Amino acid sequence: MAGKSSKKQAHANVQVLKQLYTISGSVLGLLLLRLLFSSKKRWIWIILFHAPAAGCVYMLEKNGRPTYDSAGHVVREGMDLNQKGLTEWMFDIVYLTLFADSGVVVFNTMKFWYIMLLVPVYLGYKIKGIAGPMLGGMNNAKAPSASSTNSTSAAAKSKRQAKREKNADKTRFKYK
């Protein structure tokens, strides 16, 4: 039973990587067949557009692939590839690239690569969501005046704090 969670994590990571390589291998194989007789300019653009996805796949492989010793025991299970955050964003970039590739395969147009313009827009949205309250909080951090002390302390209380203060006056137990 020892190390069951690390074995489970290692198996899940291997399955996720296998699925990623199966999907990307089939789409890239079809893309290579489509581009077999294309111009060199199109090849250069395809290679350039695949650089971010290749970097993401490299990072997912490097950090997510489990390592085993000679007896087959898990030495390092790798990071969880099913977690939220940066790992999820890397998968999104890879899947957007594969979507654009499938558009090139089916319709033989490079216009599907415009979808990759959504990546910086989405990144900016996420950064604004994370850094916005921190930057906005610094601008509003003014010294309160004496007249507004009560209003700022009431506004500063969270719903949980207000509820606790409200329930503090209630009698919880009745003795006979």
Side-chain angles (χ1 to χ4, degrees):
M1 279 303 226
K4 185 175 182 180
S5 65
S6 63
K7 290 177 189 175
K8 198 177 201 181
Q9 178 68 43
H11 180 68
N13 284 353
V14 168
Q15 292 300 320
V16 168
L17 289 172
K18 182 180 176 183
Q19 179 185 10
L20 177 70
Y21 289 141
T22 302
I23 293 170
S24 61
S26 61
V27 172
L28 289 175
L30 291 173
L31 179 71
L32 290 175
L33 285 175
R34 172 62 99 170
L35 296 175
L36 196 58
F37 301 108
S38 294
S39 66
K40 287 184 180 182
K41 182 180 177 184
R42 192 173 239 195
W43 277 95
I44 291 170
W45 281 110
I46 290 292
I47 291 170
L48 181 68
F49 288 149
H50 280 88
C56 290
V57 169
Y58 173 75
M59 290 305 295
L60 291 169
E61 172 70 31
K62 182 180 177 197
N63 295 325
R65 178 71 63 179
T67 55
Y68 300 96
D69 61 2
S70 60
H73 297 102
V74 176
V75 175
R76 186 180 76 76
E77 67 270 5
M79 73 174 189
D80 185 11
L81 293 179
N82 292 322
Q83 66 184 347
K84 303 288 183 194
L86 189 60
T87 306
E88 185 180 35
W89 296 350
M90 285 192 278
F91 277 111
D92 290 344
I93 290 173
V94 171
Y95 290 137
L96 279 175
T97 303
L98 294 176
F99 175 75
D101 286 343
S102 60
V104 171
V105 168
V106 173
F107 298 107
N108 198 21
T109 180
M110 296 290 285
K111 291 182 181 178
F112 277 87
W113 281 98
Y114 288 128
I115 196 146
M116 293 306 285
L117 293 175
L118 293 176
V119 173
V121 171
Y122 182 69
L123 184 65
Y125 170 75
K126 282 297 195 180
I127 288 174
K128 182 182 178 280
I130 293 170
M134 289 187 273
L135 297 176
M138 291 170 43
N139 294 337
N140 295 335
K142 297 178 182 175
S145 62
S147 63
S148 67
T149 306
N150 292 339
S151 64
T152 57
S153 65
K157 290 181 184 176
S158 67
K159 289 181 181 180
R160 183 177 180 191
Q161 287 174 334
K163 186 176 179 181
R164 281 188 174 185
E165 287 179 2
K166 179 182 160 188
N167 292 336
D169 297 333
K170 291 183 179 179
T171 306
R172 293 187 182 249
F173 301 102
K174 291 184 180 181
Y175 296 104
K176 294 181 182 182

